[in-house]
Amino acid sequence: MSTMFQGVQWIFPTDLGVSQLYLNQSKLEGVKKWFDPNHMDFYAPLPVCDFGNGRLTLTDGHSRAFVAYQYKVKIPVIYDTDETVTSNEGQQLYKNDIVWCQRFNIQTVADLETRIVDSSEYQSLWIDRCDRAYNLLTQTNEYDRSEIQRQYPDLFLYGANNDLTIYYFENEQGQLFELAL
């Protein structure tokens, strides 16, 4: 069952799923400078999508949603129909992000409160991770990934470099490993 809708809906941020593991501290500080919880109707709606699990998930705007959560106000959301989200590749990448969030028990923006990092950490922990996942998911098939994963059953395969000579894994505690295969 899809939760697709048209127009704008008003939802509490904690009623939405998330698709990222970290928040950028400087971006949050920037949002807090202009954010006014008494004028939410002035802001563009945040994009959400149902990735097949019956739950609306943020596809962007996690920082603004987090600040709204701190003020305990509803946010305007709109169903995301952008091709970067709705294409097969986009669906695969976002579903992968949701799996990561589940692995780290991150269900809403409230769970990101302890995962606010500086810009440098955000780049290495989140942006680089997404780039590596993109390489892995777009340059390999499911069989290839399962064969690579099988070599390291105690680790979780999450990415690769551009030429697939290095694969990135992590353990249950989130410790990262680079392995040349």
Side-chain angles (χ1 to χ4, degrees):
M1 179 177 108
S2 175
T3 55
M4 189 172 187
F5 62 91
Q6 293 189 358
V8 175
Q9 289 190 5
W10 289 82
I11 300 177
F12 283 108
T14 52
D15 290 336
L16 299 169
V18 292
S19 58
Q20 69 182 55
L21 297 173
Y22 299 94
L23 292 174
N24 182 325
Q25 176 68 42
S26 62
K27 190 170 181 183
L28 273 178
E29 290 168 3
V31 170
K32 288 177 182 180
K33 288 179 183 175
W34 57 260
F35 190 89
D36 183 349
N38 298 312
H39 293 96
M40 294 302 297
D41 51 329
F42 292 163
Y43 304 132
L46 297 181
V48 297
C49 189
D50 176 356
F51 291 97
N53 59 1
R55 181 169 194 201
L56 293 175
T57 297
L58 287 163
T59 58
D60 196 17
H62 289 73
S63 296
R64 191 166 48 152
F66 182 79
V67 173
Y69 148 73
Q70 290 181 313
Y71 281 104
K72 299 179 181 8
V73 295
K74 287 185 175 183
I75 55 173
V77 298
I78 191 164
Y79 203 84
D80 198 337
T81 57
D82 189 288
E83 188 177 329
T84 60
V85 174
T86 61
S87 68
N88 287 339
E89 186 176 278
Q91 289 283 304
Q92 184 181 24
L93 291 166
Y94 274 99
K95 286 177 181 179
N96 190 60
D97 294 348
I98 292 167
V99 168
W100 291 343
C101 290
Q102 291 168 342
R103 286 190 60 246
F104 290 101
N105 201 28
I106 300 169
Q107 298 173 20
T108 74
V109 291
D111 299 319
L112 293 171
E113 195 146 16
T114 61
R115 300 178 73 87
I116 299 170
V117 296
D118 67 32
S119 295
S120 175
E121 287 177 295
Y122 186 78
Q123 177 66 43
S124 65
L125 294 173
W126 182 244
I127 302 299
D128 292 351
R129 179 188 188 101
C130 291
D131 291 344
R132 292 168 180 160
Y134 178 83
N135 294 337
L136 180 69
L137 294 173
T138 60
Q139 296 183 54
T140 63
N141 59 40
E142 198 169 321
Y143 176 79
D144 294 336
R145 291 188 296 275
S146 66
E147 287 298 306
I148 296 164
Q149 178 65 66
R150 192 172 316 190
Q151 296 176 49
Y152 301 94
D154 295 334
L155 298 175
F156 175 77
L157 173 65
Y158 78 85
N161 67 348
N162 285 332
D163 61 2
L164 302 179
T165 57
I166 298 174
Y167 290 86
Y168 298 89
F169 295 82
E170 66 188 0
N171 62 17
E172 286 187 20
Q173 294 74 37
Q175 185 178 13
L176 305 179
F177 301 89
E178 275 183 38
L179 300 170
L181 300 183

